[in-house]
Each structure stands twice: as C-alpha cells, then as structure tokens.
Amino acid sequence: MQVVTGSIVNDHYWTLSYSWNQSGEIIHRGDEEYERIDEGRHTIVSTREMMSGNPGKEVKFEGLIQQMCIDFGIQYIWYDQMCIDQGNHDEKVHEIQQMHLIYKNARCTLALIPELEFTGDKDRRGHYAANTNIIPNSQWSKRMWTLEETYMSKSILFVGCNVYLWSDHYKTQGVRKWDKFIENIQGRGKEKWEAGTVLWYARTRRSTKAHDQVFALANIFPELQEYISFSYHQSPIDLMIQFYGRLAEQDTSILRFGATIDIAILQKDTNLLPSWTGVDGIHIPQSHSQRKADEMTIRCIVTGDSMCLTSNFVVVRVEPTASIERSDPLDHPDLNYTPDGLPNTLMSCIRCITEDGSMNLTVATITSEAQYYHNLRLADYGLQATHFFPLKMKNQVAINALSKPTHYGGFLSITEECSECIVLSEVSWHAYKRQCYPVIKRDNDHYKSIGVFIVEEFFKLDAFVQPKQSFEIK
C-alpha cells in the first residue's frame, strides 16, 4: 500500500472503521500514552484454502486491509494508522478535528467485525444467514470512535471473517428490538440527532484514551468544536465539563435521562461530573419514527459545572411508604381513538386535579406487577420506572390519588431517592409517545438533576404549574 496526498485522488475514496485493539496488541506506556504492536497475526484464508482446510497465511493489519481493497475493488481507502502520523501530536490533533468530514465525504465505510461470520444456517426465508445479531455485542460496537464514524457515513459495508453485508441489508434482516443503532442510522436521512439520542448510543462505548470520548462526540456535533481545546495535555474531566456545557446550551435534551436497569453501564468517577450531564443515569433516545420537530424555546446558561435554567415548574411529593400493589396492572383510561391511534380531539385534554385540592402532585413507589408492567414498556432502552403516578377517573377528570387508583398517568424515573422533587414543566420532549420532563431536587444551596417525569400526553398538568423560577443545577 502507498500513502498519497488527498488532493491528487481522482476517484471516490472509502474509509475504514475498526476497533483499535483488534488491529494489534495495545501497550500502555503510562498516563495517556499507548502503543500498538502488530506482530502479523492476522490471517487471510482464500476460498480454496478454506475448502481444503489450509490455515492460510498470516499478515500484518496493513496486509489485511490491502487484501480487502483488492477483494472489493477499492482504489483509495483512508484509515488512521496509515493516514495520520501517530507520533506527530500536532498532526494528530488537527486530523481529529476533521474526522466528521473525512467520513461524511467518503463513498462508503468499511466496518471490520471479525466476530461476524457465516454460520451455515438458513433464515426464515430459506436464505443462508450470518450471525448478524453479534454486531451489537462486537468490539466494534463498543468503541466511541466507531459511533462517530458510522453516524457520519453514507453507507456501511460490514466485513466479517468469512462474510460481508451492507448496512441497508442488515436492517432488513430483522434487527433485534433493543438494537436501534443501525435501524436509526439508515432511517434518519439528513436528520440530525439531538443530544439525548446521541448520548444514549454512546452510553456503553469506550475509548482507549479518555479524551477521545469527547473528541468523538465533538465530531458528531462539529459546530461545538470551536469551544473546546483539542489537546491530550489537559484534564479529561475538565474537557468533558467544557464540552457538555456547550452541548447543554445548544440542546437541553441532555437533561432527558432516568434511572438505568443496568448499573454496569455507569461511568467511573461519576461524582466528578455535574448531575446535569446525566452521568448517574441513562439518556433516553428518540427513534426515527417518534422524533418530532419541536422547537425548544427554553435555553440554559452553563458556567463551569453550574447550569442556570429558568422555567415554570410542578412540585411532586414522593411517598416511599405508599406502595401500589395490584394483581392486574393499572390500565389507560378508556378513550375514543382516531384511526391513526391518537386520542379523539374531544378527549385529548384530560384535566388532572388532586384529591385534596393541593398544588402538589403525588407519586408512589412502584412494586410487583406495576413495576413489571412498566419495565416491559421501557426495557428496550434500559430505563427503569421508579415511581408511579396514580390516578382515578371521574367524569373525564383525572384525580391524583393514592387510594384505590384505577389508572396510571405516567411515572418517575429518578436516579436517587427524595421526598420532594421539581418537574421543569416548560422543558419537554416526546418520548415513548408521551410527554417527558426533566426532574431536579434541592441539594443544599443549589439543585441536582435526578431524572425524568414521563406523562401520558392527554393528561394536562396546567392546574399544578407554578410561576417561572431560576434554578442553579450542579
């Protein structure tokens, strides 16, 4: 292979997306310094050799890429090990800022997934199939840079050890319900993901260097690059706060997170980041089919680790001792629906009041059947419902009551217990075809972001909304 200057390329080029630790042995040299050692243990096996049982020949990573370029008729390919001088810090930092353009302008991205293989089995249609369900659990799907590379790519060719397939074909093969990434990548068209969605996909991804967690995200949101410093000679925590602050000012969906079912996904050193980054929970994505072009009029100002946000609000009392148990899950109210599944116009605004006439809503701890019922709805995204919004219907009025409720109006998903929390009612999004609001609680002289309140859209909380107030969230 030969390195050429991009300006002389007279044909389309491809890009390579792969997990760095599968290209060789990664040696930690101390601090944030790593070195890749390639001892030539990658194996190329031709069809003839495979049929005869020949083990093939071992090559270095560069030889593996060269063979794939021959197999797929690729004349030019870009990948970091060859096209960036890994020993030149200045060149590396400069190229990192261009990653979104490199992958966006490529004809196609070739994604290496050694775990993907032809199994010899047939699918439901009688076609020979590959184990495509391995892709979400592959090393490639666990790396932060491959998130950015896939997001920016026009098309993706997945290459396994003995099989390959295109991303649009992969989508039609029956993607597992909980694996939304490729499905949404293929369906989004030119639509840009907002912060909450990107951070949900980033939740389980890691990078060899902590700084690259931010640098990869900054290539998904390139308009924010001018506000951060691209240098490995800085505190990763300071860099994260700097980036998340600018992201929050642009897009408050960073506050759209709740309690997670799987605590193993939580990042280490969470106490070093402010609560509004959502580091103690899991962000909530919006699928392509659910996404709406809502213009968020509420903006925040972030200074250091402090977020200042002004909004109307609703106070919610949490009753930890009032647990609602039922043998049958509480159901939706009986509503007349239009053919497209939406509540009839006459029924689309159900007034909600409290039983005692107070301005504060009350939620109760979810237990048993109710917990199971809610988690069935949320398991796809790893979100856990922690508290239940109990209602009983009377003359098309929803009464918030702990005593013998007949319906649920929604739920809280919060990362820590509290006796009272505040719902920022002027900051809202659509999630799970419901209305979603961020939740905060007082913490000494400031507030802490702890999760979300998700309410059925046809329940109106206007009676509980209190005047605007400024909240300092840390």
Side-chain angles (χ1 to χ4, degrees), residues 155-156 166-173 182 186:
S155 183
I156 305 162
W166 294 94
S167 51
D168 54 350
H169 177 73
Y170 169 60
K171 179 187 173 184
T172 65
Q173 294 305 298
I182 300 299
Q186 292 299 307

Side-chain angles (χ1 to χ4, degrees), residues 116 130-138 170 173-179:
L116 178 65
N131 60 337
T132 55
N133 285 329
I134 199 67
I135 295 178
N137 296 316
S138 66
Y170 169 60
Q173 294 305 298
V175 183
R176 283 189 178 182
K177 200 171 183 181
W178 47 265
D179 174 31

Side-chain angles (χ1 to χ4, degrees), residues 124 150 162 214 232 257 272 288 292 340 446 455 469-470:
R124 290 174 297 180
T150 308
N162 60 359
V214 173
Y232 290 98
F257 68 90
L272 300 178
H288 176 71
K292 295 185 178 181
D340 58 0
H446 59 272
V455 186
Q469 180 177 320
S470 292

Side-chain angles (χ1 to χ4, degrees), residues 232-457:
Y232 290 98
H233 306 308
Q234 60 180 316
S235 162
I237 295 297
D238 290 345
L239 175 62
M240 289 179 186
I241 295 175
Q242 187 183 42
F243 173 76
Y244 282 128
R246 303 291 76 76
L247 182 61
E249 288 183 333
Q250 172 181 285
D251 185 351
T252 53
S253 70
I254 194 173
L255 297 173
R256 196 178 64 225
F257 68 90
T260 176
I261 295 173
D262 182 12
I263 62 173
I265 69 168
L266 299 180
Q267 300 272 11
K268 297 179 180 179
D269 301 324
T270 58
N271 60 321
L272 300 178
L273 292 174
S275 66
W276 48 262
T277 62
V279 72
D280 291 323
I282 185 170
H283 284 87
I284 303 173
Q286 290 179 297
S287 70
H288 176 71
S289 61
Q290 292 176 339
R291 204 163 301 138
K292 295 185 178 181
D294 292 335
E295 285 294 331
M296 185 63 68
T297 57
I298 298 297
R299 291 288 183 263
C300 64
I301 297 176
V302 178
T303 305
D305 65 351
S306 178
M307 171 189 287
C308 183
L309 190 150
T310 301
S311 172
N312 295 112
F313 64 97
V314 173
V315 177
V316 176
R317 292 195 305 259
V318 180
E319 296 289 344
T321 58
S323 299
I324 297 178
E325 292 246 19
R326 290 174 59 95
S327 58
D328 297 318
L330 304 182
D331 203 358
H332 291 280
D334 294 326
L335 298 176
N336 296 320
Y337 285 86
T338 59
D340 58 0
L342 298 175
N344 186 287
T345 304
L346 296 177
M347 299 290 292
S348 62
C349 296
I350 297 180
R351 189 163 61 96
C352 186
I353 62 175
T354 56
E355 197 166 33
D356 60 5
S358 73
M359 283 286 290
N360 298 342
L361 295 179
T362 301
V363 296
T365 303
I366 294 182
T367 60
S368 168
E369 295 289 341
Q371 177 75 64
Y372 175 72
Y373 178 62
H374 280 286
N375 283 346
L376 276 181
R377 293 167 169 263
L378 308 175
D380 282 358
Y381 299 103
L383 190 71
Q384 180 179 8
T386 57
H387 299 83
F388 178 76
F389 181 34
L391 298 171
K392 52 186 176 183
M393 299 297 297
K394 185 176 181 180
N395 298 326
Q396 299 305 322
V397 174
I399 303 172
N400 177 210
L402 294 175
S403 175
K404 298 180 179 179
T406 58
H407 300 82
Y408 74 88
F411 54 88
L412 275 181
S413 178
I414 55 178
T415 58
E416 58 183 70
E417 290 294 337
C418 61
S419 59
E420 184 177 281
C421 58
I422 292 174
V423 175
L424 301 177
S425 57
E426 207 169 348
V427 184
S428 66
W429 314 273
H430 287 87
Y432 308 115
K433 298 181 181 179
R434 298 168 177 84
Q435 206 67 21
C436 179
Y437 306 91
V439 175
I440 60 175
K441 77 167 190 177
R442 180 171 284 280
D443 186 23
N444 296 320
D445 62 344
H446 59 272
Y447 290 85
K448 190 174 183 180
S449 185
I450 60 171
V452 288
F453 186 37
I454 297 181
V455 186
E456 298 293 342
E457 288 187 305

